[in-house]
Amino acid sequence: MIVDQKLSIAPSLTQWPEIEVLEAFVIDVNGVARGKWIPRDRAAEVLQKGMALPRSALALDIWGRDVDEAGLATGTGDPDGLCMPVEGTLAPATWLDRPTAQILMTMRDSRGQPFYADPRGVLSRICDRFAALDLRPVVAAELEFYLIDATRSATDPVRPPKSRAGRWQGWQTQVLSVSELHEFEGLLSEITRCARLQGIPVDATLRENGPGQYEINLKHVADPLKAADHAVLLKRVVKGVAHRNGLDATFMAKPYGDCEGSGMHVHISMLDKAGRNIFASEDGKGSAAMLHAVGGLVSTMGESMAVFAPHANSYRRLTPGAHAPLYASWDYDNRTAAVRLITASKSASRIEHRVCGADVNPYLAIAAILAGMHHGFANELAPPPIPAAKSGLPEDLEDVFERLSSNWDDGIEAFEESDFIANYFGADYQRLYAACKKQELDEFRQRVTDVEYDAYLRNA
């Protein structure tokens, strides 16, 4: 089992004498931070010996409620688990007024191994399978998000941030606009500074299609756990810095019904024990290993959709004309495909997985992607042929590729019944995750929306 190599070397606040409180947290099933504020005089104890948290904190629904069917709270006595610091994640949270440091924690079981219900532990166990093959996945994420006005109401729940240019004009996109970067130069620069203070390897920042929509890319690292840590911590930085600057930031997959959604694209290459990229090929078409990885990704994508699109809103992004894939498709350097192969540089040959919304839990999303690739390696799966026409339109794809789930119900059901998920995530985590998602789905079924009242209350 892969565990952090330096957990025995306890981190320390010595270099930050101004810090008054330690914010220690784990990441739950939905990617939400759950933890405590620890006063400085007790911080050393937490950093050296760990911190107790109820195990049920890992299996709360999106509203923070216990999920009885997950099996961690009701009927168990709701016992504590021991959470240990994740190496390299102790750093100042400079967007907060009170001098605060934060530390990412991971929950352990009684043997000191990753607890099965910790999403970081799910990813760790899948990393073990690659280690057994003497392979190291190299991973980087690209995260899209919206800056939004902090002033909201029931009738105006989301709107673009204020700027000198006034309100957004709906017919504009301004993708890759440098002047739009200038408009929020201070905020975006502060995000970069804060991220680097936390050891998050931020790379490019760019303007995306929607009103107030931006993307930040992360540099690749040869450790999927660290890549997921970086994505989780970057989300916290973006939200924290936006709030400090009088705005909010959202990673909701589709905050505006008539504008682009936000995704998390994941780039992965694969190194052997000699450090060679096994996806590289002389002809630029990708190695046999690369194509087996694609075969695995394509064949397991439908069973993984509850992870790639984890919320009711996620499926609004997966609609025609929304720059998000609708089929479990693949192609070379084609951004309409779910799996894009990038082979222009032999040494940088890699797979870009383009299905995830920005609302995913990065640990689980990267786990599902790597599991699909490993499944392809283990079974030497060949991907389906690429259609001759490459428009990305249904008529070109539907006879070759599986149509991805277009609703939450189907995604949850496919996940819950999947032998592939049970094999790689573990049957216990499969049941836990499905229980959390089904409780959230039940809540949505009880809510009648304003558009239903508008359409049917008087007219039906």
Side-chain angles (χ1 to χ4, degrees), residues 31-331:
V32 177
R34 308 283 181 186
K36 303 176 183 179
W37 279 353
I38 309 297
R40 185 185 178 99
D41 60 4
R42 284 196 53 235
E45 178 185 350
V46 169
L47 295 174
Q48 293 170 10
K49 299 179 180 179
M51 175 183 73
L53 275 182
R55 291 179 174 181
S56 60
L58 295 172
L60 303 174
D61 71 14
I62 196 66
W63 296 280
R65 304 175 304 188
D66 282 329
V67 179
D68 292 346
E69 295 301 318
L72 292 184
T74 302
T76 67
D78 200 6
D80 283 338
L82 180 64
C83 302
M84 295 300 296
V86 172
E87 180 201 355
T89 63
L90 177 65
T94 53
W95 58 87
L96 296 173
D97 290 331
R98 186 182 185 187
T100 302
Q102 70 171 27
I103 185 78
L104 175 63
M105 312 287 279
T106 183
M107 192 175 287
R108 303 294 185 187
D109 64 20
S110 59
R111 300 169 299 148
Q113 299 298 326
F115 182 49
Y116 86 90
D118 188 334
R120 199 174 190 274
V122 173
L123 177 55
S124 176
R125 289 186 288 275
I126 291 171
C127 289
D128 288 344
R129 301 203 185 201
F130 285 92
L133 299 176
D134 287 325
L135 294 176
R136 283 188 298 147
V138 180
V139 183
E142 302 170 346
L143 280 159
E144 297 170 341
F145 61 92
Y146 275 91
L147 296 175
I148 56 176
D149 199 313
T151 302
R152 298 188 292 278
S153 68
T155 57
D156 195 11
V158 59
R159 61 186 181 188
K162 296 176 181 177
S163 70
R164 291 192 302 273
R167 291 296 295 273
W168 181 264
Q169 303 299 315
W171 56 87
Q172 298 187 56
T173 59
Q174 300 300 347
V175 65
L176 296 176
S177 167
V178 174
S179 64
E180 289 289 322
L181 292 175
H182 295 171
E183 193 68 32
F184 294 99
E185 177 187 7
L187 187 156
L188 296 171
S189 297
E190 187 178 349
I191 288 173
T192 298
R193 286 194 298 271
C194 288
R196 287 177 176 162
L197 277 173
Q198 300 216 345
I200 304 168
V202 293
D203 195 7
T205 300
L206 57 139
R207 179 67 167 76
E208 272 294 346
N209 284 278
Q213 188 185 30
Y214 293 86
E215 177 183 302
I216 296 178
N217 299 337
L218 292 164
K219 294 179 181 178
H220 63 269
V221 290
D223 181 347
L225 286 168
K226 285 297 178 189
D229 292 342
H230 296 156
V232 164
L233 295 174
L234 178 62
K235 283 188 172 187
R236 284 175 53 81
V237 169
V238 170
K239 291 179 179 181
V241 172
H243 183 73
R244 186 173 181 85
N245 284 267
L247 296 173
D248 282 337
T250 181
F251 291 86
M252 187 176 177
K254 188 81 166 177
Y256 299 98
D258 57 351
C259 297
E260 297 300 325
S262 292
M264 186 184 84
H265 300 155
V266 181
H267 291 251
I268 301 181
S269 56
M270 195 70 59
L271 303 181
D272 64 17
K273 61 182 179 181
R276 294 182 295 256
N277 184 357
I278 68 168
F279 288 168
S281 68
E282 296 297 334
D283 61 4
K285 295 297 184 181
S287 66
M290 189 181 209
L291 294 178
H292 290 154
V294 173
L297 288 171
V298 169
S299 67
T300 61
M301 199 171 288
E303 297 161 85
S304 304
M305 282 305 293
V307 170
F308 300 149
H311 304 296
N313 178 260
S314 307
Y315 294 85
R316 294 187 182 276
R317 175 176 163 268
L318 303 174
T319 55
H323 290 95
L326 303 180
Y327 292 83
S329 58
W330 72 283
D331 202 352

